[in-house]
Amino acid sequence: MSEAFRLALVGAGRMGLTHARALAGHETVALIAVVEPVDEAAARLPGLRRYRSVDEFVHAHDVDGVLVSVPTRLHVEVATPLLEAGLPVLCEKPCGLTGDEARELQRTGGVLCVALWRRFVPSLAALRAQIARGTLGVVSHVLCSQWDERPPSAAFRDPASSGGILVDMGVHEFDLLRWLTGQELEDVCGYASTVTSEPPVPGDPESVSLAARLSGGATALVTLGRRHAPGEVHRVEVIGTEGAENVEFVPARDGQARIDDALRHQAAAFATAARGGEWTGASIEDAVAALEAAEAAIAALNGRSSAYG
Ligand SMILES: NC(=O)c1ccc[n+]([C@@H]2O[C@H](COP(=O)([O-])OP(=O)(O)OC[C@H]3O[C@@H](n4cnc5c(N)ncnc54)[C@H](O)[C@@H]3O)[C@@H](O)[C@H]2O)c1
């Protein structure tokens, strides 16, 4: 059996801890180090080699790859020195706040994989294969819903930090639409709800509803919500000329187990890519496309809805 892939985690916050929990006992990937400036956050991952900064880590590391899970506003700043040091990087989505930021990382070169975990959900891979085989006929309509149970902190939601709902949540759906159908988003419009959560965060409304036109002639509806009392739900429905499929890949009950499973598959695929194999997840080009779709949606909503701005 080959040696375990030695992974370092940069950023031990909400998502970093989710990765750490999902990777515990992984067959091929061993989380051995954490880079985290905040002592209480680092203390939640005992037993790992701990570094306080990327600079300290880059000069002392002994790992095979790095998972970057810092706030989105820091993706470029944190991932750049890692890539320049020749380390393979799996960067949490969205991989920068804008398409231009993602392009900046692309120019750095090196092995850069983007952590859009839906690409590692078996039921979605099966749906994609079904679409590619033509079992559903010609795809005419796709509906995507992503509803979180409750909003993250106001500091996280701040568009200057996360990009706001259309970037933070939207990139998952824009990437899913492209990956499932092989079609590009050509045009998008929509509305933001004026219902406020406490505290309201400008640029991160409680929910948004979008309509999009895809390059192959299909239409798409995307709903994003920060609050869904029964629990976090993610689902997609594809309607074609010969059939239709509805996949609730994160159900309100036990949804986290499905996400954790995808994170484990994603980490194993990253190890393969870091060792010179093919990366089967989202590329930096995919991240640019998803971010540009989010920027188009922001522009559309800003022109339409004062609740968004
Ligand atoms: N894929 C998903 O479904 C998903 C879900 C949630 C969050 N995310 C992404 O994960 C990223 C992190 O989000 P979060 O909710 O965990 O944020 P968070 O604020 O909870 O955690 C970020 C952590 O990074 C640490 N940090 C800040 N600067 C750092 C630096 N220079 N070096 C090392 N550590 C540093 C912070 O101290 C904190 O512990 C975001 O980009 C977000 O978009 C992805």
Side-chain angles (χ1 to χ4, degrees):
M1 204 172 90
S2 64
E3 301 254 311
F5 182 83
R6 298 164 307 166
L7 183 71
L9 170 68
V10 185
R14 188 172 56 123
M15 192 59 192
L17 292 177
T18 300
H19 282 288
R21 194 193 52 239
L23 295 181
H26 197 286
E27 305 80 15
T28 55
V29 177
L31 183 61
I32 64 159
V34 61
V35 184
E36 171 57 61
V38 176
D39 289 342
E40 300 100 283
R44 292 191 199 106
L45 293 175
L48 302 185
R49 260 202 306 282
R50 192 262 175 121
Y51 302 86
R52 283 184 167 73
S53 70
V54 168
D55 193 46
E56 187 190 322
F57 167 74
V58 153
H59 292 104
H61 78 83
D62 185 17
V63 302
D64 302 310
V66 185
L67 168 55
V68 171
S69 190
V70 297
T72 299
R73 71 188 151 78
L74 298 175
H75 284 177
V76 175
E77 180 183 319
V78 164
T80 300
L82 298 169
L83 290 164
E84 285 175 348
L87 279 161
V89 169
L90 173 61
C91 184
E92 254 308 335
K93 49 57 63 176
C95 211
L97 283 169
T98 61
D100 282 349
E101 282 199 4
R103 271 198 208 87
E104 208 178 312
L105 270 181
Q106 186 180 23
R107 282 193 289 274
T108 310
V111 177
L112 173 56
C113 305
V114 181
L116 282 154
W117 56 259
R118 285 145 181 246
R119 291 185 179 226
F120 296 95
V121 173
S123 59
L124 292 178
L127 176 62
R128 182 172 185 254
Q130 221 182 341
I131 292 170
R133 278 197 307 274
T135 319
L136 302 180
V138 179
V139 172
S140 65
H141 193 44
V142 187
L143 290 88
C144 301
S145 307
Q146 183 191 159
W147 305 323
D148 282 352
E149 185 172 359
R150 64 181 77 86
S153 69
F156 178 94
R157 294 172 66 187
D158 180 355
S161 187
S162 65
I165 191 169
L166 285 170
V167 171
D168 182 50
M169 297 181 75
V171 292
H172 278 299
E173 306 309 324
F174 304 137
D175 185 64
L176 185 63
L177 284 169
R178 294 180 66 247
W179 178 67
L180 280 180
T181 65
Q183 299 185 35
E184 297 296 329
L185 271 87
E186 284 196 327
D187 201 9
V188 61
C189 62
Y191 289 95
S193 67
T194 54
V195 175
T196 55
S197 52
E198 293 298 327
V201 179
D204 195 294
E206 188 90 346
S207 60
V208 296
S209 296
L210 304 171
R213 198 176 55 208
L214 305 184
S215 56
T219 57
L221 291 176
V222 174
T223 70
L224 308 171
R226 287 293 195 193
R227 194 187 302 273
H228 186 245
E232 183 173 354
V233 167
H234 301 211
R235 71 167 75 107
V236 62
E237 194 164 356
V238 179
I239 297 160
T241 50
E242 307 289 330
E245 283 290 344
N246 186 351
V247 180
E248 188 164 87
F249 55 98
V250 176
R253 277 170 62 102
D254 298 332
Q256 191 59 49
R258 309 274 185 96
I259 297 174
D260 290 353
D261 182 58
L263 297 180
R264 282 191 290 275
H265 287 306
Q266 177 177 260
F270 172 58
T272 300
R275 287 170 163 157
E278 190 195 352
W279 167 238
T280 48
S283 66
I284 187 66
E285 290 77 15
D286 295 317
V288 169
L291 278 161
E292 286 183 342
E295 288 173 80
I298 290 170
L301 265 68
N302 272 333
R304 207 180 267 271
S305 160
S306 58
Y308 187 75

